[in-house]
Amino acid sequence: MLEKINMYIDGKSVVSQSEQWLDVTNPANQEVLYQVPMATHNEVELAVSSAKTAFETWKDVPVPVRARMVLQYQHLLKKHHDEIAEILAEETGKTFEDAKGDVWRGIEVAEHAAGVASMMMGEYVENVANGIDTYSVIQPLGVCVGITPFNFPAMIPLWMFPLAVVCGNTFVLKPSEQDPKTPNRLAELFYEAGFPRDVLQVIHGGKDQVNQLLNHEDVQAISFVGSVGVGEHIYKTGTDNLKRVQAFTGAKNHLVVMPDANKNQVINGIVGAACGAAGQRCMGISVCVMVGDAKDWQTDLKAAMEKLKPNYWKNEDSAYGPLINAQAKTRVEGLITQGVADGATLLLDGRDYKVEGYENGNFVGPTLFTDVTVDMSIYHNEIFGPVLCLMYADTLEEAIKLINDNPYGNGTSIFTNSGAAARKFQHEIKVGQVGINIPIPVPLPFFSFTGWRKSFYGDQHAYGKQAVKFYTETKTVTSRWFESDIPDGGAPNLSINLR
């Protein structure tokens, strides 16, 4: 009998009463691993209601106490690091090293959350007027919600609930239904760390459950990572319902190669950034812009990509794993076919890729296009597979214009040995995260994840100081203390004068 994935509601491990269950399959061979529920309406209601009730006591727990719990949590995450990575690799198909990286980047955010006290300090000005002081305090919002994607089932939930909870909020997590066991394990360790069990609720589901949360009057803030279309819907629906929303959506990340760069470093960086995690990264590189004579390196780049051999995660020689499901494979292969029809030159074709022993897996081989133009579907769509598009520019200015004309602004990089070129690029580019001789410029948690333009909807970004602002509100207090009461017969002062 297939295992049924549980939920965590009202402090209890719950087997859903839903009549709708989805199969969760191993993307390397289509084996059904277990089943995940689409939570019922009442189960979602109970999760939010429980979180709302828990908030009334959790918000008054001293900040240092909450921080120490997060410190214990990150200790448990480290202790169980490889165990979580194995669950993650089996669900997603990621290589074990890639899965461990997914877990570790989440642990780093939990470490940062443990130092929240200094980020929740208010401000104080004494004697703004005679005998009057003004100060601000930072307070939590209430019930917060996280809606997370399949491609980073450990890292992205850990972007959200440790910071939200340490700020004094309670949290409802709705992870991807395609890899639910990883976030469930994160929740189990969270409770083991000593947190009250109703501070974090975990429900499973799809569109209906998300819409219920978006429209729920007791939900104060929503964090989302996923596709553009869904992100736009979540941002609009959430803000229409007067909720605070941060929505991280699609990307089309460009890497610029200047002819003075180190060729070997460039090629190694491009190959890993384009094909790592089977290209299923919102910060992966899908377009490489070769400037000037750097275009002559495409033969070496092709040779390096040809060496990549995707396989099952337990195979130590695997360069990367399968796509998450058969629909994703069909979509990526369809875009490759459309790229050929649009006139791009296909130097490496990853369609119909077969891995011995895993012939039914969702594998796509490394794919390389040249002669790509901005009007082609492979350029203006986020492919989300191991597909790299080569484009050419005569000058750095031309490359910058190409990137700035693209509607997305998640990440970009430049490889060069010229400080002047790097300075010009970082200053003029209209993208939120910039790498210089680094292919995937994801910042560490004491900064924030800062996508721009169509890659992000909202005001405050994920983790770092901006996340604390997102999960809290500022209250300003103006106070005055009298040494004695108004004397008998004295008239009350009906004016307010702060001069």
Side-chain angles (χ1 to χ4, degrees):
M1 186 174 181
L2 281 175
E3 176 186 356
K4 291 186 179 295
I5 294 295
N6 59 341
M7 301 189 292
Y8 295 97
I9 300 175
D10 195 25
K12 304 176 184 68
S13 177
V14 175
V15 176
S16 176
Q17 298 303 302
S18 177
E19 296 181 355
Q20 185 181 6
W21 293 75
L22 299 182
D23 290 342
V24 178
T25 59
N26 182 333
N29 57 17
Q30 311 307 329
E31 172 194 358
V32 178
L33 299 171
Y34 23 78
Q35 291 184 315
V36 63
M38 300 291 102
T40 67
H41 181 88
N42 288 341
E43 288 166 347
V44 176
E45 286 293 315
L46 180 57
V48 175
S49 174
S50 175
K52 182 182 179 182
T53 300
F55 174 70
E56 293 306 314
T57 53
W58 179 246
K59 65 183 175 64
D60 292 329
V61 173
V63 174
V65 175
R66 299 197 301 251
R68 282 192 289 272
M69 289 185 187
V70 176
L71 195 63
Q72 174 64 12
Y73 182 46
Q74 63 86 34
H75 169 72
L76 289 173
L77 289 171
K78 290 175 181 176
K79 180 179 177 181
H80 295 273
H81 177 272
D82 285 8
E83 173 210 333
I84 301 168
E86 286 190 10
I87 297 170
L88 194 155
E90 193 72 12
E91 289 189 308
T92 65
K94 286 186 178 186
T95 66
F96 190 47
E97 288 302 313
D98 208 359
K100 288 193 292 185
D102 187 332
V103 178
W104 185 255
R105 292 309 299 264
I107 290 173
E108 290 178 327
V109 178
E111 286 179 335
H112 180 66
V116 74
S118 62
M119 293 184 283
M120 294 191 68
M121 292 170 62
E123 298 173 313
Y124 191 104
V125 177
E126 184 182 50
N127 224 37
V128 294
N130 277 335
I132 297 177
D133 307 322
T134 298
Y135 53 95
S136 63
V137 294
I138 309 300
Q139 295 186 335
L141 301 174
V143 179
C144 299
V145 166
I147 302 164
T148 59
F150 75 85
N151 58 331
F152 286 93
M155 181 185 78
I156 294 180
L158 290 171
W159 278 10
M160 297 178 184
F161 70 80
L163 276 162
V165 166
V166 80
C167 287
N169 302 286
T170 53
F171 203 86
V172 179
L173 176 64
K174 205 302 289 180
S176 171
E177 65 277 17
Q178 298 182 83
D179 39 24
K181 203 165 192 176
T182 300
N184 266 23
R185 187 65 182 123
L186 299 180
E188 290 164 358
L189 293 173
F190 182 83
Y191 307 136
E192 188 178 328
F195 287 92
R197 291 180 65 93
D198 50 0
V199 164
L200 173 65
Q201 320 273 331
V202 182
I203 61 169
H204 296 292
K207 180 175 69 174
D208 291 344
Q209 290 71 26
V210 168
N211 282 330
Q212 187 177 345
L213 292 169
L214 290 175
N215 289 285
H216 202 294
E217 63 180 1
D218 292 330
V219 171
Q220 304 300 317
I222 298 168
S223 303
F224 167 81
V225 177
S227 65
V228 175
V230 177
E232 290 176 345
H233 167 74
I234 283 175
Y235 181 74
K236 185 177 188 306
T237 306
T239 52
D240 283 352
N241 283 296
L242 304 180
K243 303 183 190 310
R244 190 174 292 188
V245 181
Q246 53 177 203
F248 299 85
T249 62
K252 197 68 180 178
N253 304 319
H254 300 66
L255 186 149
V256 174
V257 180
M258 299 298 290
D260 65 345
N262 181 293
K263 183 169 71 171
N264 290 333
Q265 291 175 348
V266 166
I267 291 173
N268 289 337
I270 293 172
V271 170
C275 297
Q280 297 175 125
R281 291 172 174 158
C282 65
M283 284 291 287
I285 294 298
S286 58
V287 180
C288 182
V289 185
M290 317 292 278
V291 177
D293 293 339
K295 66 182 179 182
D296 297 335
W297 300 352
Q298 73 178 39
T299 301
D300 298 292
L301 177 58
K302 176 187 174 185
M305 291 183 66
E306 280 180 314
K307 295 177 182 178
L308 298 180
K309 304 298 180 185
N311 208 315
Y312 183 52
W313 72 270
K314 289 186 178 180
N315 187 316
E316 293 182 359
D317 297 328
S318 174
Y320 59 87
L323 299 182
I324 189 65
N325 56 38
Q327 293 78 14
K329 178 181 178 180
T330 298
R331 178 182 177 275
V332 170
E333 291 186 336
L335 283 166
I336 295 171
T337 300
Q338 187 61 49
V340 174
D342 288 344
T345 302
L346 186 58
L347 292 184
L348 275 180
D349 188 354
R351 293 172 294 181
D352 300 318
Y353 193 94
K354 300 297 181 185
V355 174
E356 184 177 355
Y358 301 93
E359 288 80 7
N360 293 326
N362 308 318
F363 293 96
V364 175
T367 301
L368 181 63
F369 278 104
T370 62
D371 305 314
V372 177
T373 58
V374 295
D375 58 336
M376 294 179 178
S377 58
I378 54 173
Y379 179 75
H380 58 74
N381 281 300
E382 184 178 21
I383 300 175
F384 229 55
V387 181
L388 179 65
C389 298
L390 289 185
M391 303 179 76
Y392 307 105
D394 292 328
T395 64
L396 176 59
E397 288 79 8
E398 186 180 331
I400 290 172
K401 184 178 186 306
L402 172 71
I403 298 169
N404 286 346
D405 285 346
N406 188 279
Y408 296 106
N410 213 32
T412 188
S413 294
I414 184 171
F415 273 73
T416 180
N417 281 325
S418 167
R423 175 70 168 71
K424 177 182 178 66
F425 184 78
Q426 74 171 46
H427 179 67
E428 296 184 9
I429 209 71
K430 297 177 182 177
V431 175
Q433 296 165 120
V434 179
I436 298 173
N437 297 319
I438 293 175
I440 301 181
V442 178
L444 288 171
F446 30 86
F447 289 92
S448 294
F449 188 92
T450 52
W452 282 14
R453 295 189 283 158
K454 204 173 181 180
S455 292
F456 175 74
Y457 297 96
D459 298 311
Q460 301 291 343
H461 292 87
Y463 60 76
K465 294 178 181 178
Q466 291 195 35
V468 173
K469 291 181 179 179
F470 178 77
Y471 287 122
T472 61
E473 192 63 274
T474 302
K475 178 184 290 183
T476 304
V477 180
T478 301
S479 69
R480 181 178 184 180
W481 294 93
F482 296 98
E483 293 185 5
S484 61
D485 294 335
I486 298 174
D488 291 343
N493 183 4
L494 298 183
S495 65
I496 298 176
N497 186 352
L498 297 182
R499 290 182 296 174

